[in-house]
Amino acid sequence: MRTGGQFLLILLLVSVCSSCSDTMIDPFENEEKLFTIWGYLDQLSADHAVRVVPVTRFPENILSPTDPQAQIDAEVYSTDLTSGERIRWNHELSQLEDGTYGHVFKSHFLLNPRRGYRLEVIRADGKMTSAQTRVPGINSDTLFVRSPVVWEQDSTFVYQDITIRQIASPWDIKMYYWWEGGTAKQGVYVPYNRQGSRTNDGGWKIRANISEDQPAVWARVQWAQDTGLLTPTGTHHVFAMGIQIRILDGNWDPPLGVFDPEILAQPGVLSNVVGGHGFFGSVGLYAQEWSIEDISKSLGYPY
């Protein structure tokens, strides 16, 4: 499936493997649990995918496209709960990282933040497994509370503490810096993953290591000089910085804000699937930036 954060893929794989005991249930005694669903909707992409595993007395272990289990009695649909638009997803038998095959359903459509989506996996007899998610979205330009910039170690170490309000579990955090000079103007992203910690009031606190991030910017300046976008003596400066974060839907908030695979892999710890197992979520996007022109020269830029 697509990458939406390295840990997310690990979590899905661990969860599928750990739920093998759930799939070893006699179907005649398990009519209420039809399918295991793993997947999510991503606001940054128009291509979406979910893996579907039928709940049978034997664990899914498809070694070849000619195996009996390479066929699946299922159709997958998603519905935009605001517009009512219903889309049928396309089935693919996809080879997984371990060499086996899995049933993956894919679709192509743009997401709307703050809208709910319902996923349905329907058998030929009409019985269904379903799950719902609401794509997170925030309309605010004051989500971040920024402490003053701190200069330490003879002003060679520069950082700023930032509190992200309302978001208890941000995902895939990136600091970014805008610089310009000559004909070049670029944003440079520095990955922070999930650095930081949850605050007592349901937010997230993180430290922007401004001075330690600058080599990534300087590398792009050097690239601009090498390609002629900026002359070797051309003046340049950094004029803004910001944070981009991925927001998980409300169902995806892990216990105490900690993504521990050993905890989350336990059946029932993190699931929103009705009539089955697994999880179907969504990931939104939020970014906010501010001027740092006043400290550009102090960070080592010509002006």
Side-chain angles (χ1 to χ4, degrees):
M1 291 191 286
R2 295 170 299 103
T3 299
Q6 292 180 341
F7 179 82
L8 181 57
L9 293 180
I10 295 173
L11 172 60
L12 297 186
L13 292 174
V14 169
S15 299
V16 169
C17 292
S18 69
S19 64
C20 285
S21 59
D22 292 333
T23 62
M24 295 177 66
I25 300 174
D26 192 310
F28 298 103
E29 299 177 358
N30 192 52
E31 284 299 312
E32 295 182 357
K33 304 292 185 181
L34 306 178
F35 299 98
T36 297
I37 301 172
W38 294 113
Y40 60 98
L41 303 176
D42 189 344
Q43 187 182 341
L44 275 182
S45 177
D47 295 311
H48 311 285
V50 296
R51 183 178 176 187
V52 176
V53 182
V55 176
T56 67
R57 78 174 64 175
F58 302 110
E60 183 178 66
N61 187 29
I62 306 173
L63 302 178
S64 167
T66 60
D67 286 358
Q69 287 182 302
Q71 303 297 319
I72 185 171
D73 176 11
E75 292 184 356
V76 175
Y77 296 86
S78 63
T79 302
D80 182 325
L81 299 180
T82 298
S83 68
E85 181 183 13
R86 191 167 188 251
I87 297 174
R88 180 176 178 176
W89 293 42
N90 298 314
H91 172 256
E92 291 185 9
L93 186 67
S94 299
Q95 191 166 24
L96 308 176
E97 291 184 355
D98 64 359
T100 64
Y101 292 81
H103 296 289
V104 177
F105 288 81
K106 298 182 178 182
S107 189
H108 181 89
F109 59 93
L110 294 175
L111 292 182
N112 291 289
R114 297 176 294 280
R115 285 193 182 183
Y117 292 84
R118 175 181 172 85
L119 189 81
E120 299 173 343
V121 183
I122 306 173
R123 257 182 2 195
D125 61 7
K127 293 184 177 181
M128 176 175 62
T129 296
S130 65
Q132 289 187 196
T133 182
R134 180 171 295 278
V135 181
I138 296 177
N139 282 329
S140 173
D141 57 1
T142 59
L143 188 66
F144 299 156
V145 177
R146 295 180 283 117
S147 299
V149 175
V150 177
W151 301 76
E152 291 185 350
Q153 301 174 15
D154 294 330
S155 297
T156 60
F157 181 58
V158 187
Y159 66 86
Q160 184 175 34
D161 290 328
I162 302 168
T163 299
I164 306 171
R165 300 184 296 182
Q166 304 177 37
I167 300 178
S169 294
W171 180 264
D172 192 25
I173 304 169
K174 294 179 181 178
M175 298 294 170
Y176 63 94
Y177 300 85
W178 281 101
W179 74 274
E180 64 180 352
T183 60
K185 181 178 181 181
Q186 296 180 329
V188 179
Y189 289 82
V190 180
Y192 272 57
N193 301 315
R194 289 192 80 243
Q195 291 185 34
S197 59
R198 178 176 288 190
T199 62
N200 293 331
D201 59 357
W204 190 268
K205 188 173 183 178
I206 188 171
R207 173 165 292 182
N209 297 311
I210 299 174
S211 55
E212 294 182 359
D213 292 344
Q214 296 317 297
V217 182
W218 298 335
R220 294 303 292 175
V221 171
Q222 183 63 55
W223 171 85
Q225 292 174 338
D226 293 343
T227 57
L229 294 175
L230 179 67
T231 63
T233 58
T235 57
H236 55 277
H237 74 305
V238 62
F239 63 91
M241 69 173 288
I243 306 180
Q244 175 183 289
I245 58 176
R246 309 305 309 280
I247 312 173
L248 305 180
D249 77 41
N251 293 321
W252 219 333
D253 188 20
L256 301 177
V258 178
F259 283 89
D260 184 337
E262 293 187 3
I263 295 176
L264 298 180
Q266 300 303 313
V269 172
L270 189 67
S271 180
N272 63 341
V273 177
V274 178
H277 306 284
F279 188 83
F280 175 67
S282 57
V283 185
L285 178 70
Y286 181 85
Q288 183 178 320
E289 61 186 51
W290 52 92
S291 173
I292 56 170
E293 286 185 296
D294 58 323
I295 65 173
S296 175
K297 193 169 183 178
S298 299
L299 289 174
Y301 297 90
Y303 73 98

